[in-house]
Amino acid sequence: MNEHHPYHPIIYVRGFAATQGEIEETVADPYMGFNTGSTKSRVAWTGERQRFYFESPLVRLMSDHEYEDVFVEGEDLLAVRPTDKAVPYRSIVIYRYYDDASKDFGDGKTPPIEQFARGLGQLILRLRERVCANAKNGVTPADFRVYLVAHSMGGLVCRAFLQNPALGEAEARGAVDKVFTYATPHNGIDMRIVRNVPGWVSFGDINNFNRGRMAGYLGLPPSDDVSVVKNFPPERIFNLVGTNPGDYSVAGGLSSWAAGPASDGLVRIENATTHGPGPDGTDVTSPRAFVFRSHSGHYGIVNSEEGYQNLTRFLFGALRVDGILDVDDISLPAEVQKAHQEGSTVQASYQFEIAASVRGCQWQMTRREVRENSAVFRTYNELFPGTPRTPRPPDRTKSPHLFSLFLDPNKSVKGSRSVSFAFDLKVLVPDYVVDGLLFLKRHYEGGFIYRELILVEAFPDKTAPSGWRIRYGYQDMNPGKPGVEAQTRELVAGDPGKGIAFDIPIEQKTRPGLRGRLRLEARPWT
């Protein structure tokens, strides 16, 4: 067992295979892509292209966390027929739902996604039976839990099983602890030419990504938003979102062109996340991270270091930290402010860039940038609705949610047992439009209203609220050492649970300027 969190079995659910050839290639691989590594990396600091050996999520989970697969001497220990070989609790299982569609193992006809969802529930119950039969595991059926890890359409298979009561047994759904999705089209697939894949397109079952079809198997009413999670806590689903369409080479780059720049080459960024009602009925956004990776391939999202670091911290971490920027006021340039006071119509929108990293890891856990089409976007009226006045009360529902990070004390500094992360926050200077005309005086493209690299460190303290004491600091004032003791307050209610929160004041007094607070909320993660 992990000192801070139990290890549960992992079931990997692969993505979509369109043609019979792709299906046959898929079933010929025992691990269906979860074992695919990469020796690709981009440009190093020297300017040279550098190799980076990523052994695959499967190998890393085995070497770093002592997981085992269920293939022994050429036999699948979870095959339908009983086996006398023991199944370990800390196991990785591949859900081979395409076997029935293979000409080698089935009839060559692809079953509907509803059948895939039912099969997932059956697999979970079979895994529970075999695991609990192994006395060494010391696990009863009531204690048994499982993690679901899915790529692309595999995430929709998981959601159909979890959300639609007609597609699985309640006891199987109740065994699912967390769900991690890579590049899943949670709200369908849109293309430049045709938004919302037509429901009548049946080739390769691509209509599985039509919103009308999706609403049916997800157990939702017809809607333009089928990313709603029900019958499962939305905060326990993690969405890893790819932002690099350029490296997706499927169909000779045609898919990447059709999906557009704000995508991973197949799934648009806006369609790759989930949300749903929390315990009190309010809408809860699922945790997510944005990484500069494509939908699949050697530069793909599944076989990426960023993917692995987010996966393992979400599954095995002990602390969740969310960053929300509450903007109290944004001042306009003097000339724009003068025009506004004289009755001109002024329009502006703001883009917020964020890059967050954890200590000891050279990879950014999440990154949202304008040049990667993933920055957080807010119009002035979204931030400050209502009758114009200075300053106006902000709309807290529109406060930019910057990140959700999961921290693992097993990877902390041994002496202090602390966990630490840093985030680079930028608020870019917008293009101001005055009476319909673009205002470019004093404008420098790429300029920013605010920029700061902020460091945060959490120390375990049994006497502190929620068991953690927190410090923060600024890289330009005290590099690498958070020194300000945060004044915390307890979160007695709210999603996803109790914890502590503290504020970091944000202010840039020049024009255009910014005033507000960065709200950090930390919760124990189990």
Side-chain angles (χ1 to χ4, degrees):
M1 288 289 184
N2 184 320
E3 178 185 347
H4 300 279
H5 197 283
Y7 287 106
H8 298 309
I10 293 172
I11 294 179
Y12 178 69
V13 188
R14 67 148 287 134
F16 180 62
T19 67
Q20 192 63 40
E22 291 175 356
I23 291 173
E24 299 301 339
E25 184 177 353
T26 292
V27 301
D29 179 356
Y31 303 102
M32 294 194 162
F34 203 47
N35 58 317
T36 303
S38 175
T39 56
K40 299 286 188 180
S41 186
R42 288 182 176 78
V43 180
W45 69 271
T46 59
E48 299 175 351
R49 189 169 294 273
Q50 187 180 46
R51 295 183 185 182
F52 177 79
Y53 296 95
F54 178 71
E55 302 95 328
S56 81
L58 179 81
V59 172
R60 291 287 294 275
L61 286 166
M62 289 178 169
S63 61
D64 296 350
H65 297 280
E66 299 179 357
Y67 270 86
E68 301 177 49
D69 65 8
V70 295
F71 300 134
V72 177
E73 297 177 348
E75 180 183 11
D76 181 358
L77 301 187
L78 291 183
V80 176
R81 62 185 181 84
T83 177
D84 58 356
K85 295 184 176 67
V87 175
Y89 190 67
R90 204 180 302 190
S91 59
I92 298 176
V93 177
I94 309 300
Y95 178 30
R96 299 180 55 87
Y97 63 84
Y98 268 125
D99 280 3
D100 290 341
S102 166
K103 292 181 179 179
D104 288 336
F105 305 120
D107 58 9
K109 297 179 181 179
T110 304
I113 197 170
E114 289 89 342
Q115 185 168 324
F116 297 157
R118 293 188 187 95
L120 178 57
Q122 294 164 5
L123 176 63
I124 290 172
L125 295 179
R126 190 159 66 247
L127 174 61
R128 185 184 69 174
E129 177 188 1
R130 304 290 167 83
V131 160
C132 295
N134 182 358
K136 291 183 179 179
N137 292 326
V139 177
T140 67
D143 298 329
F144 175 85
R145 294 292 183 273
V146 65
Y147 298 133
L148 301 181
V149 178
H151 174 230
S152 193
M153 191 185 78
L156 299 180
V157 173
C158 295
R159 283 184 58 202
F161 156 68
L162 290 169
Q163 295 188 209
N164 192 336
L167 301 181
E169 298 85 346
E171 56 181 327
R173 292 196 300 272
V176 177
D177 188 66
K178 297 174 185 172
V179 180
F180 186 97
T181 66
Y182 300 95
T184 291
H186 288 293
N187 197 38
I189 290 180
D190 293 313
M191 295 294 176
R192 290 178 192 256
I193 302 173
V194 180
R195 287 189 64 85
N196 190 16
V197 172
W200 50 263
V201 177
S202 59
F203 170 74
D205 289 320
I206 198 170
N207 61 355
N208 283 335
F209 309 111
N210 168 268
R211 291 190 187 94
R213 169 88 174 100
M214 292 173 66
Y217 63 72
L218 293 174
L220 297 171
S223 170
D224 287 335
D225 180 11
V226 291
S227 63
V228 178
V229 175
K230 68 173 189 177
N231 298 330
F232 191 80
E235 69 272 12
R236 299 190 76 78
I237 297 181
F238 190 101
N239 309 138
L240 192 64
V241 183
T243 63
N244 176 18
D247 284 333
Y248 191 58
S249 58
V250 169
L254 181 61
S255 171
S256 176
W257 173 85
S263 72
D264 62 10
L266 180 64
V267 180
R268 290 189 177 181
I269 293 172
E270 63 184 355
N271 289 336
T273 56
T274 54
H275 65 99
D280 61 358
T282 59
D283 192 66
V284 175
T285 298
S286 297
R288 69 275 308 262
F290 298 77
V291 296
F292 192 62
R293 292 285 177 171
S294 64
H295 190 77
S296 62
H298 290 295
Y299 289 115
I301 197 168
V302 176
N303 54 345
S304 68
E305 184 71 18
E306 301 97 322
Y308 179 75
Q309 296 295 343
N310 277 289
L311 171 68
T312 53
R313 284 171 168 80
F314 174 71
L315 295 185
F316 313 135
L319 185 68
R320 171 179 172 172
V321 181
D322 290 87
I324 304 101
L325 180 61
D326 291 330
V327 180
D328 294 322
D329 185 35
I330 296 181
S331 62
L332 301 173
E335 296 94 333
V336 177
Q337 180 65 31
K338 183 174 182 293
H340 180 53
Q341 291 173 341
E342 292 174 350
S344 295
T345 300
V346 176
Q347 295 174 307
S349 58
Y350 295 86
Q351 301 203 68
F352 302 83
E353 293 190 341
I354 185 73
S357 57
V358 296
R359 181 172 54 196
C361 178
Q362 67 180 117
W363 301 91
Q364 291 169 331
M365 304 299 292
T366 185
R367 184 172 77 198
R368 306 189 68 172
E369 294 188 352
V370 169
R371 64 180 179 177
E372 295 170 5
N373 299 290
S374 59
V376 182
F377 178 88
R378 294 288 187 276
T379 66
Y380 185 84
N381 288 334
E382 284 178 322
L383 292 171
F384 304 101
T387 305
R389 59 188 177 86
T390 304
R392 287 193 271 174
D395 182 354
R396 297 303 184 202
T397 66
K398 296 294 184 179
S399 293
H401 185 282
L402 302 176
F403 57 80
S404 295
L405 291 178
F406 296 86
L407 305 175
D408 186 356
N410 284 326
K411 300 175 181 177
S412 66
V413 174
K414 292 183 179 180
S416 66
R417 303 300 296 161
S418 67
V419 289
S420 183
F421 64 94
F423 54 95
D424 187 8
L425 172 63
K426 287 191 288 185
V427 183
L428 275 66
V429 174
D431 294 331
Y432 300 98
V433 177
V434 180
D435 289 335
L437 298 176
L438 190 63
F439 179 86
L440 292 176
K441 292 180 180 180
R442 306 181 188 277
H443 177 81
Y444 295 92
E445 185 64 29
F448 47 85
I449 297 174
Y450 178 89
R451 181 174 187 178
E452 190 69 73
L453 181 63
I454 301 174
L455 315 175
V456 178
E457 189 165 12
F459 300 84
D461 185 347
K462 295 181 180 179
T463 66
S466 299
W468 295 91
R469 183 167 46 86
I470 297 177
R471 294 177 182 171
Y472 71 91
Y474 305 92
Q475 178 70 13
D476 59 348
M477 296 177 62
N478 194 12
K481 295 182 180 180
V484 180
E485 192 77 23
Q487 298 298 311
T488 60
R489 60 182 182 278
E490 191 167 358
L491 295 173
V492 295
D495 284 320
K498 295 182 179 179
I500 55 175
F502 68 97
D503 300 331
I504 298 176
I506 299 293
E507 186 169 16
Q508 180 67 43
K509 295 182 178 180
T510 58
R511 281 187 173 273
L514 172 73
R515 180 172 55 82
R517 60 193 176 99
L518 181 63
R519 175 164 36 104
L520 294 185
E521 299 179 352
R523 298 172 174 87
W525 182 243
T526 57

